[in-house]
């Protein structure tokens, strides 16, 4: 994967030393996604959605990406969000806040808004684990109830995204009727009907 950082975006890393078990560290991508959508909603009154496990979408296009890396006891959460990025600098699948907000905030304001929500949810996650995060995420998950295509390694699956399990894995009801959970994978909607009025 190639990561690009055109001018006008909010790009930052958060260095953490969480006291949760190592198996729970991937949940931080969803904690960060929750912080991102709540921060945007509070700042500019938009309702983005989360595409499991680490993307934030707006109008079906990618607004932000999140990357979690762990090494030597530390965890680094990297965030890249298109804020005032010019459309010419983005792929057709990308979108910037400036594309939809007349008075677009500065990337530093967006970073601050996300950080305020992240610090709150990170504390909750540290004390209580993933359960409260899971509940708070549900209204923001744009693909729940939708037909999805999941690519996991060399395997491809189609079904309906139904929920997150207690560990943050995506639960998909395959076309065969079997429920399957995914630790990692790339999710593509076969159609998109997320309605922000559900919030």
């Amino acid at each position: 994967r190639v990561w690009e950082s055109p001018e006008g975006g909010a790009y930052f890393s958060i260095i953490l030393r969480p006291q949760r078990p190592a198996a729970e560290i991937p949940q931080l991508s969803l904690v960060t996604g929750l912080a991102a959508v709540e921060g945007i909603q509070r700042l500019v009154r938009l309702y983005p959605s989360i595409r499991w496990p680490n993307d934030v979408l707006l109008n079906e296009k990618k607004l932000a990406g999140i990357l979690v890396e762990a090494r030597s006891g530390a965890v680094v959460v990297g965030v890249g969000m298109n804020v005032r990025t010019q459309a010419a600098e983005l792929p057709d699948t990308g979108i910037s806040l400036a594309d939809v907000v007349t008075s677009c905030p500065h990337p530093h304001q967006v970073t601050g808004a996300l950080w305020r929500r992240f610090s709150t949810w990170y504390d909750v996650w540290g004390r209580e684990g993933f359960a409260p995060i899971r509940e708070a995420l549900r209204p923001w998950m744009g693909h729940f109830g939708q037909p999805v295509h999941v690519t996991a390694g060399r395997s491809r699956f189609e079904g309906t995204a139904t929920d997150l399990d207690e560990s943050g894995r995506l639960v998909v009801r395959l076309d065969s009727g079997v429920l399957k959970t995914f630790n990692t994978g790339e999710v593509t909607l076969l159609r998109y009907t997320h309605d922000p009025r559900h919030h």
Side-chain angles (χ1 to χ4, degrees), residues 7-90:
E7 186 175 348
Y11 310 107
F12 56 93
S13 295
I14 306 169
I15 301 173
L16 307 164
R17 296 191 181 276
Q19 300 303 305
R20 306 292 306 180
E24 297 181 10
I25 298 306
Q27 297 168 0
L28 285 170
S29 66
L30 292 165
V31 175
T32 309
L34 177 59
V37 293
E38 288 190 350
I40 293 165
Q41 192 276 324
R42 292 181 180 208
L43 192 62
V44 293
R45 298 293 180 253
L46 294 175
Y47 289 91
S49 65
I50 296 170
R51 178 172 62 193
W52 180 91
N54 57 358
D55 290 333
V56 176
L57 304 183
L58 189 61
N59 296 345
E60 306 176 41
K61 295 186 175 184
K62 186 170 176 176
L63 177 68
I66 299 158
L67 181 65
V68 176
E69 294 185 318
R71 62 182 63 175
S72 304
V75 176
V76 180
V77 178
V79 179
M81 184 180 299
N82 305 318
V83 181
R84 294 181 174 180
T85 318
Q86 297 296 311
E89 298 284 337
L90 297 173

Side-chain angles (χ1 to χ4, degrees), residues 36 38 55 101 120 122 143 147 161:
E38 288 190 350
D55 290 333
V101 176
T120 296
Y122 180 70
H143 46 31

Side-chain angles (χ1 to χ4, degrees), residues 157-178:
F157 303 88
E158 287 190 359
T160 302
T162 61
D163 202 353
L164 298 174
D165 75 1
E166 64 280 356
S167 299
R169 296 176 298 182
L170 182 67
V171 181
V172 176
R173 184 177 299 280
L174 301 180
D175 291 344
S176 64
V178 173

